[in-house]
Amino acid sequence: MQLATMPPRHHVVRPQFEFPSVLAGKLRSPFGVVLGSPAAAAELAGALPSSDIVGYQMDLFQAARLRAELEERGRFAEVVTAPDLWDLPDPVQTLVYPVALGGERALKIDMIEQAFHVLRPHGVFVVLSPFEKDSFLPNALKKVFGKVHSPMAGSDQIFWCQRQSERPRRRHEMTFQVRVDDVTSLRFLSRPGTFSYGRFDNGARALVETMEIRLGDRVLDLGCGCGTNGIIAARRSGPSGFTTFVDSNLRALALTRINAEGLGIPAVETIASCTLGELPSRTYDVVLANPPYFGQMTIARLFIERGKRCLKPGGRFYLVTRQVEQTFGLMEEAFGQTEAVERRGYVIFQATTS
Ligand SMILES: C[S@@+](CC[C@H](N)C(=O)[O-])C[C@H]1O[C@@H](n2cnc3c(N)ncnc32)[C@H](O)[C@@H]1O
């Protein structure tokens, strides 16, 4: 049977990426690798001519996977997780960006802008496109770097640029409004690479319309994104309430802090975590969750199981999803009796701890 004869993971032989020889003289350390899937970033690190490499990630989970991939390949690189690429502690001479297939356009534009500012003067930015013919990336690069080169004749898959001058830092961000009652509309800041850029997600809207928050409630917002749901809850729980926001994406947490401060929410705590192991031992009256759909329900399971342990007796758990059947199974397993409310094309599961 095929599965039984599969080699163990660390023996899998992958085709090794090689930079075109015309770029060889331009690849000088220190290096940086911008985002990329953990496998792609680790492979690139393996193809660079020195181990003076920093891998930039925005999300703790991706960063942990990148460290594991590097270890599996026996390659050393420092992995730094930060809200912004231009927060890297030291400028780099060469930066390589393996652009994701189907990733967010605004994030690509933002990474190109931030790459400029993290390069040393005359530093080189190498961009690997997933497309055979690409007009978007060269145009976006041209706007920031001026000149764009493509070293592979007949293909648009690799571009490189050089930082020649100075330019002011330009933020790519959007604000959106959320109407919370007849008279109040709240303004939230969002940035590319976080959920959900430039708009209030309909699932989140369904969740905040369903949740019951009482004065003085202590609320835990699991996977908070830019903080909308927990901030709306915090406004309802009033000055005697308290809210903890958790996310694995450091840019999302930075936005949560900006939004909470901008909206005058005094008592907030933000926790960066992808395992929820860093949560404090205190208990909460309410847990809110809008888990992502990737990873075969692993995150939904984590949010449900860990969220339940954070609730005090009689505490309320609210989770919004479109993965109704699988999530219902997880909720029943954790809480027993679970109610479901349909709203805006989503289901909100609610359960109470005994
Ligand atoms: C669907 S978004 C919801 C964001 C926000 N709560 C909302 O409703 O608009 C899911 C969030 O969970 C975060 N996330 C994903 N995996 C996580 C993990 N393992 N630990 C903590 N947060 C995680 C993502 O970064 C993302 O911000």
Side-chain angles (χ1 to χ4, degrees), residues 59 61 193-196 199-201 203-205 207 221-230 246-250 252 271-276 288-294 298-299 302-303 320:
D59 189 282
F61 182 69
T194 61
F195 190 89
S196 53
R199 66 187 174 87
F200 190 36
D201 173 59
R205 196 184 290 274
L207 177 70
D221 185 354
L222 289 179
C224 59
C226 68
T228 47
N229 311 348
V246 186
D247 209 288
S248 54
N249 182 314
L250 299 197
I271 298 177
S273 176
C274 63
T275 58
L276 308 189
L288 304 174
N290 177 8
Y293 296 155
F294 55 77
T298 23
I299 320 268
L302 175 72
F303 284 7
V320 63

Side-chain angles (χ1 to χ4, degrees), residues 19-345:
F19 286 95
S21 52
V22 283
L23 273 181
K26 309 201 181 311
L27 302 177
R28 302 214 315 269
S29 69
F31 293 103
V33 178
V34 182
L35 299 176
S37 72
E43 185 167 339
L44 278 180
L48 289 169
S50 113
S51 56
D52 190 358
I53 305 169
V54 56
Y56 166 73
Q57 293 287 330
M58 210 178 266
D59 189 282
L60 294 174
F61 182 69
Q62 295 293 89
R65 283 186 51 212
L66 174 54
R67 285 189 193 98
E69 289 277 352
L70 287 162
E71 199 182 312
E72 196 181 299
R73 289 169 163 80
R75 183 62 165 163
F76 177 78
E78 188 190 354
V79 178
V80 172
T81 321
D84 289 293
L85 172 61
W86 59 35
D87 290 342
L88 281 183
D90 296 304
V92 294
Q93 180 61 33
T94 310
L95 200 53
V96 188
Y97 180 19
V99 175
L101 183 70
E104 213 185 320
R105 248 169 188 250
L107 180 62
K108 294 168 193 167
I109 294 171
D110 186 36
M111 287 300 104
I112 290 171
E113 173 71 37
Q114 296 210 356
F116 183 96
H117 299 284
V118 85
L119 280 170
R120 288 179 176 175
H122 307 293
V124 168
F125 186 34
V126 180
V127 178
L128 310 179
S129 166
F131 304 108
E132 190 64 29
K133 288 278 163 221
D134 191 336
S135 56
F136 165 72
L137 282 172
N139 285 336
L141 286 163
K142 205 166 176 195
K143 281 190 189 136
V144 175
F145 285 85
K147 247 187 178 164
V148 187
H149 311 267
S150 185
M152 287 165 70
S155 157
D156 272 357
Q157 290 197 287
I158 300 192
F159 304 98
W160 70 272
C161 309
Q162 194 161 28
R163 175 179 170 159
Q164 297 289 5
S165 55
E166 291 297 322
R167 64 181 263 122
R169 287 183 175 208
R170 183 163 171 237
R171 272 269 180 216
H172 291 272
E173 56 191 19
M174 277 170 83
T175 56
F176 60 90
Q177 298 280 136
V178 178
R179 178 164 280 284
V180 287
D181 57 43
D182 290 346
V183 285
T184 322
S185 185
L186 306 178
R187 188 180 157 97
F188 288 92
L189 180 69
S190 68
R191 291 180 180 151
T194 61
F195 190 89
S196 53
Y197 181 49
R199 66 187 174 87
F200 190 36
D201 173 59
N202 256 334
R205 196 184 290 274
L207 177 70
V208 302
E209 285 169 352
T210 308
M211 67 190 183
E212 185 196 335
I213 306 289
R214 302 172 192 152
L215 277 181
D217 270 349
R218 293 152 83 101
V219 179
L220 174 62
D221 185 354
L222 289 179
C224 59
C226 68
T228 47
N229 311 348
I231 288 173
I232 293 169
R235 284 174 53 91
R236 293 194 201 156
S237 67
S240 56
F242 180 83
T243 311
T244 299
F245 297 86
V246 186
D247 209 288
S248 54
N249 182 314
L250 299 197
R251 183 174 276 193
L253 282 180
L255 287 164
T256 294
R257 285 188 288 271
I258 294 170
N259 285 326
E261 197 185 324
L263 291 165
I265 310 295
V268 301
E269 171 183 55
T270 54
I271 298 177
S273 176
C274 63
T275 58
L276 308 189
E278 295 82 350
L279 285 179
S281 55
R282 81 170 73 87
T283 54
Y284 293 85
D285 300 286
V286 178
V287 172
L288 304 174
N290 177 8
Y293 296 155
F294 55 77
Q296 292 155 343
M297 308 295 292
T298 23
I299 320 268
R301 180 185 286 277
L302 175 72
F303 284 7
I304 291 169
E305 290 176 356
R306 189 67 184 89
K308 184 193 168 199
R309 281 195 274 138
C310 291
L311 280 171
K312 67 181 203 191
R316 279 112 58 213
F317 186 92
Y318 295 93
L319 180 148
V320 63
T321 189
R322 270 184 162 148
Q323 293 180 317
V324 178
E325 274 175 36
Q326 304 98 305
T327 310
F328 182 64
L330 295 177
M331 287 289 296
E332 273 214 307
E333 209 179 289
F335 290 94
Q337 194 182 346
T338 299
E339 282 173 40
V341 175
E342 267 192 81
R343 204 170 193 128
R344 298 183 181 271

